[in-house]
Amino acid sequence: MTNLIDPRENIIAERFKDVKKIFLVSGFKGGIGKSLISSSLSLAMNDLGFKTGLLDMDITSSTDHIILGVKDKFPEEKNGILPVEIYGIKFMSFYFFTMSKPFALRGNDIKDAVKELLCVTVWDKLDCLIIDMPPGFSDAALELMRLINNFKVILVRTPSPLSIDIVSRMSGIYKDKGFKTIIVNNMSKDTTMGNSIRYDTSIDDAIGNVTAIKKTQFYRDVLSLSSDMIKA
Amino acid sequence: MHEWALAESVIKTVETKPELKNKKIKILLGELQDIDEEIFRFAMDELLKQRESQIKYSIVVDEAVFKCNECGREFFMSEITKKSKAQRENIHFIPEMVKAFVKCPVCDSIDFDIVKGRGVMISYD
């Protein structure tokens, strides 16, 4: 009988061995600011002097490249694939390979694409890696949970009762597996709450322009959270 | 080269899986991923030399087969319209990117499965 083994899984731990901290940014619902927070958090960590990576794991709807204004760059091939360097951050996204074409993937394709990117991306030494997760809790999240087991989860929620409900219900999956979770209150009107990012309409106008992003209240709030997060 | 990363994953797997100890393995290179066999073989041999490893292997190109989820038709690489160099390169990095550039040759659907011949696999008896 012929047996088949997928070799990619066995190299993934090696790819992350020099990454000190990994933060998954999730929140399960779409439109709650996961990508803006992931991108800004990466910039903030880098501003604080930490060597930082950003991985956009939203395969079919990646947007971190738009937020950071990434244009005309492509990962270099060198014993694997090297993330693009932008504003001091090592950045990897499926966007580089889709050529902005729309496409749809079924579950097995998502699992394979996640595994492939984790297998071939060479992060080298990082103080922290931020992983921007797609909405929901399905193949990409399950595959990451299976293949990488040393991350903390930043759960983004908004004041919407829908967002609060889904975070409180779904966070149990991570907690039960022993992953540390940190709740971040985005679009917050109550500044007395911990880990709050205030509602700031100017952030939309700053998208694509990192200099403008760094002048927003949104970024200042993310920056003030970052130093606590790296210690978490 | 990207081939080095995949060769490294094969060697790491053979070194860590007890069921592969002292087996002659067959490495399947999926036609879809279009791995450069010469570079892959060179990477394998160099990495094996560095690790003083005695792994015996052969390489076989695994034909890619797709199946449309709408009309049910199976199709092959030869039926796919020739892709640009950039598109082929992106499929080479992440084979699932074929879904961004290819449609079923019969019904034009974007919903099809990669049945076989996707990427690198280890086969053994």
Side-chain angles (χ1 to χ4, degrees):
Chain A
M1 197 182 104
T2 302
N3 302 287
L4 283 176
I5 295 183
D6 182 340
R8 294 171 297 167
E9 295 185 8
N10 296 291
I11 200 73
I12 290 171
E14 180 94 5
R15 298 283 178 244
F16 290 93
K17 76 176 167 41
D18 292 322
V19 179
K20 289 183 188 159
K21 293 202 173 180
I22 302 173
F23 295 97
L24 250 64
V25 179
S26 186
F28 316 110
K29 297 289 281 179
I32 54 171
K34 292 184 298 298
S35 295
L36 272 167
I37 291 175
S38 300
S39 304
S40 302
L41 199 56
S42 308
L43 293 168
M45 293 289 192
N46 185 62
D47 280 352
L48 290 171
F50 299 107
K51 186 74 193 155
T52 305
L54 172 63
L55 171 58
D56 192 342
M57 201 39 95
D58 199 339
I59 306 176
T60 54
S61 317
S62 51
T63 52
D64 292 353
H65 62 286
I66 301 172
I67 296 166
L68 297 173
V70 178
K71 280 182 195 143
D72 305 322
K73 283 180 178 277
F74 195 80
E76 193 190 330
E77 241 186 314
K78 194 177 175 192
N79 296 346
I81 307 177
L82 304 183
V84 158
E85 290 258 356
I86 177 137
Y87 301 103
I89 300 166
K90 288 188 177 185
F91 175 57
M92 182 54 86
S93 167
F94 286 98
Y95 144 79
F96 292 119
F97 310 105
T98 62
M99 299 169 78
S100 299
K101 297 266 187 197
F103 71 118
L105 295 181
R106 285 178 178 260
N108 279 340
D109 296 324
I110 293 172
K111 279 159 59 181
D112 262 323
V114 166
K115 220 188 288 182
E116 192 77 26
L117 197 65
L118 297 181
C119 166
V120 297
T121 304
V122 179
W123 292 102
D124 206 4
K125 289 186 173 68
L126 287 179
D127 292 314
C128 72
L129 174 67
I130 313 289
I131 305 183
D132 182 14
M133 296 299 291
F137 199 125
S138 67
D139 301 273
L142 290 167
E143 206 56 5
L144 271 176
M145 206 156 74
R146 190 173 71 79
L147 297 169
I148 311 174
N149 52 20
N150 57 343
F151 57 79
K152 296 182 175 69
V153 189
I154 296 171
L155 294 170
V156 178
R157 65 181 189 189
T158 68
S160 159
L162 307 180
S163 171
I164 291 167
D165 179 82
I166 199 82
V167 164
S168 98
R169 271 191 287 147
M170 297 297 285
S171 59
I173 298 177
Y174 285 120
K175 286 178 188 164
D176 289 350
K177 286 275 183 186
F179 295 104
K180 182 169 182 179
T181 58
I182 305 160
I183 288 182
V184 167
N185 298 294
N186 192 27
M187 305 180 199
S188 179
K189 287 169 188 150
D190 178 2
T191 50
T192 61
M193 285 170 80
N195 290 350
S196 288
I197 300 168
R198 277 167 277 189
Y199 185 62
D200 178 4
T201 51
S202 70
I203 189 70
D204 280 341
D205 296 328
I207 283 174
N209 181 341
V210 166
T211 310
I213 288 175
K214 289 188 177 183
K215 288 179 182 160
T216 61
Q217 182 63 54
F218 177 90
Y219 182 73
R220 285 193 292 277
D221 285 347
V222 171
L223 187 62
S224 74
L225 295 178
S226 305
S227 48
D228 291 337
M229 294 228 175
I230 198 79
K231 289 179 209 147
Chain B
M1 289 289 173
H2 172 232
E3 277 78 359
W4 281 78
L6 296 168
E8 204 184 345
S9 75
V10 169
I11 292 171
K12 189 97 181 157
T13 302
V14 178
E15 285 174 347
T16 52
K17 297 269 179 198
E19 63 266 38
L20 294 179
K21 204 168 173 164
N22 301 322
K23 292 253 182 196
K24 183 174 180 192
I25 58 159
K26 201 187 281 179
I27 302 169
L28 306 180
L29 298 184
E31 184 189 11
L32 176 61
Q33 192 161 26
D34 196 20
I35 296 287
D36 186 315
E37 190 177 328
E38 202 179 320
I39 296 173
F40 183 83
R41 194 182 288 278
F42 179 74
M44 281 292 295
D45 293 344
E46 282 298 307
L47 290 166
L48 288 173
K49 214 186 294 171
Q50 282 168 23
R51 291 165 184 249
E52 297 179 359
S53 180
Q54 302 295 317
I55 296 166
K56 300 265 179 291
Y57 72 93
S58 60
I59 292 176
V60 176
V61 175
D62 188 22
E63 183 188 32
V65 178
F66 310 93
K67 186 170 185 187
C68 178
N69 285 316
E70 284 199 38
C71 72
R73 162 78 134 71
E74 275 197 350
F75 58 99
F76 305 90
M77 289 294 282
S78 56
E79 294 173 86
I80 293 172
T81 320
K82 206 167 165 30
K83 298 292 128 201
S84 70
K85 186 172 178 277
Q87 289 174 341
R88 287 201 310 272
E89 197 164 271
N90 290 341
I91 295 169
H92 168 67
F93 287 128
I94 312 282
E96 283 62 42
M97 294 304 125
V98 70
K99 304 289 180 92
F101 311 124
V102 166
K103 291 178 178 174
C104 168
V106 176
C107 72
D108 249 8
S109 172
I110 56 162
D111 181 13
F112 57 88
D113 290 336
I114 304 164
V115 180
K116 65 184 276 295
R118 178 202 169 277
V120 179
M121 294 293 276
I122 297 171
S123 162
Y124 68 100
D125 293 324

